[in-house]
Amino acid sequence: MKVEIWSDIACPWCYVGKARFEKALEAFPHRDQVEVVHRSFELDPGRAKGDVQTVVSMLSKKYGMSEAQAEAGEDNLGAQAAAEGLAYRTRGRDHGNTFDMHRLLHFAKEQGRQDELIQILYKANFADERSLFTEGDERLVELAVEAGLDAGDARKVLADPTAYADAVRADEREAAQLGANGVPFFVLDRKYGVSGAQPAEVFAQALSQAWGERSPLQLIDQGDADACGPDGCAVPQH
């Protein structure tokens, strides 16, 4: 079974939702047969690469709330994250463009290190004191290496603005086609969708339901035909 997760590194509910989903997946009897793929979704796609501001300032401006209200929201998110065993800095974080991170995640997918990288990026954004947005590409290269990727290859990807850009945009178009206007958004076997950072119990139910309703292979039998198998290949007799 395949589970696709649309998310953004700047999305706190994606950070929390991933932990809740993984808790459900860990307890799922068929977890070894579940493939998880992370898809790209930018919460702030129009933001310029160098446009960085504090999270509290961004929230205050975007939602028309006071800074005190924005800080209260961050405190609530911090408590939600802590309940899942996640570190979360409620003050001092900043916000910026995540497009390069998504490009790097597509590269990591090719290398079989996508899940490792996205978790490291989440931690860097939500828990670490260093900014994920103000130190340039070398900060992302450092994190890519931590995820098991080659520094030189990661640096080449980041230096070429076209590398994996089409893959990111394709994910975002697909999200729109699926009706996902917010993240996290989980798609199970292209049959079921789960929106938001639901409780682990909801993810557990969705996994069980999707697994139980998988369509078995329908075999079209046209009679015996020559084939190869573990014991060898059929030898023509005439």
Side-chain angles (χ1 to χ4, degrees), residues 8-10 40-49 96-106 121 133 137 140 157-158 160-172:
D8 191 9
I9 300 303
S40 299
F41 190 106
E42 294 173 275
L43 290 175
D44 202 355
R47 181 177 289 269
K49 184 175 179 179
N97 182 286
T98 58
F99 188 65
D100 285 348
M101 298 173 206
H102 286 293
R103 294 196 301 111
L104 202 57
L105 282 165
H106 275 278
L121 289 172
F133 301 99
D137 288 352
L140 295 182
V157 170
L158 293 168
D160 178 3
T162 67
Y164 301 96
D166 288 346
V168 175
R169 297 306 183 208
D171 276 357
E172 293 175 337

Side-chain angles (χ1 to χ4, degrees), residues 8-177:
D8 191 9
I9 300 303
C11 164
W13 289 118
C14 296
Y15 181 46
V16 172
K18 182 176 186 291
R20 292 175 178 171
F21 170 75
E22 288 176 346
K23 185 181 294 183
L25 183 62
E26 180 64 27
F28 186 56
H30 309 287
R31 61 185 177 276
D32 293 339
Q33 298 175 64
V34 178
E35 176 192 6
V36 178
V37 178
H38 298 282
R39 301 291 190 191
S40 299
F41 190 106
E42 294 173 275
L43 290 175
D44 202 355
R47 181 177 289 269
K49 184 175 179 179
D51 183 5
V52 180
Q53 65 183 131
T54 66
V55 168
V56 168
S57 174
M58 179 274 294
L59 291 173
S60 179
K61 182 177 179 181
K62 184 174 182 179
Y63 298 107
M65 61 176 67
S66 68
E67 289 200 355
Q69 289 173 317
E71 288 175 347
E74 282 290 280
D75 290 339
N76 177 56
L77 277 163
Q80 298 271 359
E84 304 303 329
L86 301 172
Y88 190 100
R89 292 180 63 223
T90 60
R91 299 291 185 273
R93 291 193 307 108
D94 54 21
H95 176 79
N97 182 286
T98 58
F99 188 65
D100 285 348
M101 298 173 206
H102 286 293
R103 294 196 301 111
L104 202 57
L105 282 165
H106 275 278
F107 166 65
K109 181 176 181 293
E110 288 185 352
Q111 308 301 311
R113 310 299 293 178
Q114 189 187 47
D115 193 69
E116 289 83 356
L117 180 59
I118 197 169
Q119 191 60 37
I120 286 169
L121 289 172
Y122 276 142
K123 180 180 178 296
N125 186 43
F126 292 107
D128 291 356
E129 291 189 11
R130 292 173 61 188
S131 172
L132 196 56
F133 301 99
T134 60
E135 296 188 28
D137 288 352
E138 282 308 303
R139 173 69 168 139
L140 295 182
V141 170
E142 176 187 320
L143 296 171
V145 170
E146 187 178 334
L149 298 169
D150 179 79
D153 290 341
R155 197 172 283 115
K156 287 178 184 177
V157 170
L158 293 168
D160 178 3
T162 67
Y164 301 96
D166 288 346
V168 175
R169 297 306 183 208
D171 276 357
E172 293 175 337
R173 286 194 300 272
E174 197 163 15
Q177 292 165 2

Side-chain angles (χ1 to χ4, degrees), residues 209-238:
Q209 186 171 344
W211 182 268
E213 295 185 15
R214 290 174 307 141
S215 299
L217 182 69
Q218 300 296 314
L219 184 63
I220 299 175
D221 190 355
Q222 297 291 342
D224 293 336
D226 295 330
C228 294
D231 298 324
C233 298
V235 178
Q237 300 299 311
H238 52 78

